Amino acid sequence: EVQLVESGGGLVQPGGSLRLSCAASGFTFSDHYMDWVRQAPGKGLEWVGRIRNRANLYTTQYAASVTGRFTISRDDSSNSLYLHMNSLKTEDTAVYYCSRGYNFGYPLFDYWGQGTLVTVSS
Amino acid sequence: DIQMTQSPSSLSASVGDRVTITCQASQDITNYLNWYQQKAGEAPKLLIYDVSNFGTGVPSRFSGSGSGTDFTFTISSLQPEDVATYYCQQYDSVPITFGQGTRLHIK
């Protein structure tokens, strides 16, 4: 059974940093791209960024709203995905979801974690 | 960026009704379109991928169609458990973008 479990959310002051984790199981993690998507309270879904797999050199892409502040990394040896968030702003307050991304023959975004809430407030 | 214009933003229908949601892309996205269902307090669930393919375990009352820039999501016979917000999403190009959502209520 595919499972994605996020952790690391919490309350942080503006300008602060936080690292989110996503533990994956039930599939060959190293074969898939992985994505982060967020949802501000009462709002819609916003794609944050993605990290490709080893075959694609672990390259990353980001939404303009987080470029230069957020970094996505992964550890295939432990089936873990990370979102490093710096210079946090109040508008980064959201539930952050990890989602299974591209791999040939599989639908994108077919599995999502339960989400972890990040609150940026003084 | 590709803009996804989803309509309506809110919809109220009766059990058994046929429900249709539309999504228009600002440019051609071929067939790179998904539909999601999000119930209150839950993560999104993939219902339809690549315009018209069923996600895992998705009931056949849900369907999708379209191509290019115009897409449609249909529930053939609305059930009480279908109360949720529905989103379209394009993944033709980065940044990946979502429609603003359609909140579906039961009359």
Side-chain angles (χ1 to χ4, degrees):
Chain A
E1 178 194 6
V2 173
Q3 282 199 316
L4 298 169
V5 180
E6 301 94 338
S7 60
L11 176 63
V12 60
Q13 292 189 334
S17 299
L18 206 58
R19 188 187 80 163
L20 306 183
S21 300
C22 171
S25 60
F27 66 103
T28 306
F29 177 77
S30 59
D31 285 347
H32 286 261
Y33 297 12
M34 294 295 296
D35 292 74
W36 287 97
V37 176
R38 68 182 180 182
Q39 187 170 37
K43 302 298 184 182
L45 300 167
E46 180 188 17
W47 178 79
V48 172
R50 75 159 38 131
I51 186 165
R52 295 185 175 87
N53 54 15
R54 179 182 179 185
N56 288 278
L57 305 180
Y58 299 125
T59 52
T60 55
Q61 293 175 294
Y62 299 97
S65 58
V66 306
T67 296
R69 300 187 299 122
F70 289 13
T71 302
I72 299 173
S73 64
R74 63 191 294 164
D75 180 350
D76 290 348
S77 67
S78 63
N79 293 341
S80 297
L81 174 71
Y82 302 102
L83 179 64
H84 309 261
M85 303 184 294
N86 296 320
S87 303
L88 281 160
K89 306 176 182 180
T90 55
E91 54 263 40
D92 295 318
T93 294
V95 174
Y96 285 74
Y97 298 100
C98 62
S99 183
R100 189 168 82 164
Y102 172 79
N103 184 23
F104 182 77
Y106 294 83
L108 273 72
F109 299 91
D110 56 347
Y111 288 94
W112 296 60
Q114 85 288 351
T116 187
L117 176 62
V118 173
T119 302
V120 185
S121 175
S122 55
Chain B
D1 298 2
I2 298 176
Q3 307 303 317
M4 304 299 291
T5 303
Q6 188 176 336
S7 63
S9 57
S10 182
L11 176 57
S12 185
S14 300
V15 172
D17 281 356
R18 183 180 183 88
V19 170
T20 298
I21 299 170
T22 64
C23 192
Q24 184 171 60
S26 59
Q27 63 191 68
D28 190 338
I29 58 170
T30 58
N31 67 330
Y32 297 125
L33 183 106
N34 286 353
W35 290 95
Y36 299 89
Q37 176 192 65
Q38 187 178 33
K39 296 183 177 180
E42 297 184 5
K45 175 185 176 182
L46 178 66
L47 294 183
I48 302 290
Y49 68 94
D50 294 352
V51 175
S52 59
N53 295 291
F54 292 103
T56 302
V58 173
S60 59
R61 66 179 181 275
F62 297 103
S63 64
S65 63
S67 64
T69 60
D70 295 297
F71 303 90
T72 300
F73 172 80
T74 301
I75 306 174
S76 60
S77 178
L78 186 64
Q79 300 302 303
E81 60 266 31
D82 299 337
V83 169
T85 300
Y86 294 84
Y87 295 93
C88 62
Q89 175 210 43
Q90 69 79 22
Y91 48 94
D92 176 77
S93 64
V94 167
I96 292 166
T97 48
F98 294 84
Q100 68 270 39
T102 296
R103 187 168 290 186
L104 179 56
H105 307 272
I106 300 287
K107 279 184 186 174

